[in-house]
Amino acid sequence: MSINEQLFQTICGQAREAALLHSAADTLEWDERTRMPPAAGDYRAQQVSALRAAVHRLKTDGQFAEDLQTAIDQLGDEDPHSDAASTIRMLHRDWQRDRKLPTELVERVAGATVRGQQSWDHARRQNDFSLFRDVLDEVIDLKQEVGQRIAAGSERTTYEALMDEYEPDASEQQIQAVFDAVRGPLVELITQIRASSRRPDPEVLKREYPIAAQRRFSENVAQRIGFDFQRGRLDETSHPFCTTLGPHDCRILTRYDLHWLPSGLFGTLHEAGHGLYEQGLRTDWFGLPPGSYTSLGIHESQSRLWENQVGRSKAFWSYLYPDAQKSFTPNLDDVALADFYFAVNWVQPSLIRVEADEATYNLHILIRFDLEKQLIDGSLSAGDLPEAWNDRYERDLGIRPPSDADGVLQDVHWSAGLFGYFPTYTLGNLVSAQLFDAAGKQIGDLQAAIGEGDFQPLRQWLIENVHRYGRCYSGEELVRRATGGSLSADHLIKYLRDKLQPLYGITE
């Protein structure tokens, strides 16, 4: 039996209407993070709350629920991964989650997280966590209620229920197993590097790089790897992010530091990687599961792949370095390509996650994973968070943050209520290495293409093997289809060893 076409179009119509309002709210939030005057915050929170509530009502409407159930019953033997079946399966899955949340709670969360991001931004600029503490308490309380309502009647924890929004069906045990598999080899590699007498000169990256020149260079780099500026734009904000406001409207945002070139450059590459995924989705299915990303772990794999496997590769800089020297003359006139390449692959425990090297990056995620679980289960209060944060950094990375801005206030996620998001970064790192391996084997000499500035083969491979499927497959299924194997930490560890050990003169 197949789905009744009229019924299917009715369901899709309501889902598209919800997506339309959702994108309008996203547009207001993009404006809030980029251009909104500070005094407009309270009314903006009301605007976003009203739109989020309207979306929720559409997605939990009684007739919509009946239509979805009828369509589920009609699926029969239809391929569960077809566009039509995936649309019904995923919309029904979303409905099962959304129906547990009263509209009033959705409104409160939306308003609190808009205010939360404004409060976080102000506290970060003032370097004072106390200005953010009470708002964070409110957001935590609301997200605890959300998680508890979603987890009710299941064996899932409150944290797992929140994490499900970003990585469907993931469990704390699964995530912990991933982290355990990564941590040991990473610590061993970091220890080897710290024992090496060979060091890059990161000072070349700390020279004065005019912001205007960085803007031009970053936009040029994003365009070269394939980000379509007819369907997107690059702006600035206090914390880099990517958001999609329509089928042909992807916004990427970065931030620049006058005395730290990697901040804007790799922030742009990271967000452009997200943007390439969004631009690679099928526009005719926008607002429906086949035209939506499958999970944040897969999304992060795209950003980390372009930022690291491509952006920190020798081939990439062999191609781009002459342009970098021209763009930032005379800053790089006396810096050889090999020295610059070594500098952008500098491994050193640091305070800021988004500027961390590839080897230590996942240690930052482990810290956040542990702390946010404690915030949600109530074993850690918002007031005690700065000290707990600083203690973990001192224990795990050997450095203690000297200030709130360089410590607990560096990430926007918790102010936006994104509890359960952080683990997807490490999942993304693992997936990026595994996908890049598979792409190299299937495409051929991928490094040669990158070295010639030809990013089309890789970009097309990702479109064909990841982007075009949308939510028709789970993240786990996508990885298996694209690479021929289950997700494994082996690819990431091998990639890091193959690149970093020769740079640091380490022999096994």
Side-chain angles (χ1 to χ4, degrees), residues 58 68 131 363 473:
L58 281 169
L68 281 172
L131 300 174
L363 300 181
Y473 294 93

Side-chain angles (χ1 to χ4, degrees), residues 217 220 224 319-329 332:
F217 188 69
N220 183 29
R224 289 195 187 196
Y319 160 68
L320 197 64
Y321 193 56
D323 285 351
Q325 288 182 304
K326 189 179 302 182
S327 297
F328 300 115
T329 187
L332 298 174

Side-chain angles (χ1 to χ4, degrees), residues 195-420:
S196 171
S197 59
R198 190 179 295 180
R199 289 283 184 277
D201 179 13
E203 295 303 315
V204 302
L205 304 175
K206 299 178 183 179
R207 297 172 178 178
E208 187 171 308
Y209 292 91
I211 301 301
Q214 289 193 55
R215 288 192 189 105
R216 289 191 296 270
F217 188 69
S218 291
E219 184 169 328
N220 183 29
V221 169
Q223 188 168 26
R224 289 195 187 196
I225 67 171
F227 185 76
D228 184 355
F229 279 93
Q230 294 299 308
R231 301 176 57 213
R233 57 182 288 159
L234 172 63
D235 293 282
E236 295 167 49
T237 188
S238 55
H239 194 288
F241 69 97
C242 168
T243 187
T244 294
L245 309 180
H248 301 287
D249 189 357
C250 180
R251 311 292 176 92
I252 58 175
L253 299 99
T254 192
R255 65 185 181 199
Y256 302 102
D257 186 327
L258 184 65
H259 293 287
W260 184 242
L261 181 62
S263 181
L265 174 60
F266 289 107
T268 298
L269 274 168
H270 181 96
E271 300 308 331
H274 281 305
L276 288 173
Y277 187 5
E278 292 291 326
Q279 292 182 340
L281 295 168
R282 288 178 286 166
T283 57
D284 54 333
W285 286 94
F286 183 81
L288 298 170
S292 306
Y293 66 86
T294 189
S295 75
L296 259 297
I298 296 298
H299 224 311
E300 290 301 334
S301 78
Q302 303 305 285
S303 59
R304 298 294 283 173
L305 183 151
W306 287 100
E307 176 190 0
N308 294 326
Q309 274 82 7
V310 175
R312 285 187 165 90
S313 70
K314 185 180 293 184
F316 182 76
W317 286 107
S318 296
Y319 160 68
L320 197 64
Y321 193 56
D323 285 351
Q325 288 182 304
K326 189 179 302 182
S327 297
F328 300 115
T329 187
N331 282 359
L332 298 174
D333 291 357
D334 63 339
V335 181
L337 169 60
D339 294 331
F340 185 86
Y341 169 66
F342 197 1
V344 298
N345 284 288
W346 181 38
V347 173
Q348 177 71 28
S350 59
L351 295 169
I352 309 300
R353 173 188 63 85
V354 297
E355 297 173 1
D357 61 83
E358 292 179 86
T360 62
Y361 182 93
N362 292 298
L363 300 181
H364 292 260
I365 301 304
L366 268 64
I367 291 171
R368 288 156 176 76
F369 175 63
D370 288 342
L371 292 178
E372 71 176 8
K373 284 193 299 179
Q374 294 172 46
L375 288 171
I376 293 301
D377 70 22
S379 61
L380 176 65
S381 69
D384 292 334
L385 179 60
E387 184 177 2
W389 179 288
N390 293 344
D391 288 346
R392 279 296 302 270
Y393 264 77
E394 189 166 29
R395 190 190 84 184
D396 290 13
L397 288 163
I399 46 178
R400 192 171 185 88
S403 67
D404 291 341
D406 287 334
V408 69
L409 288 175
Q410 66 177 271
D411 290 308
V412 71
H413 299 63
W414 293 335
S415 72
L418 305 181
F419 291 91

Side-chain angles (χ1 to χ4, degrees), residues 431-444:
V431 174
S432 69
Q434 194 159 335
L435 288 175
F436 196 75
D437 269 359
K441 290 172 183 174
Q442 295 177 35
I443 292 171

Side-chain angles (χ1 to χ4, degrees), residues 17 23 40 118-119 212 297 345 396 400 458:
E17 184 178 353
S23 65
Q118 296 164 16
S119 175
N345 284 288
D396 290 13
R400 192 171 185 88
L458 175 59

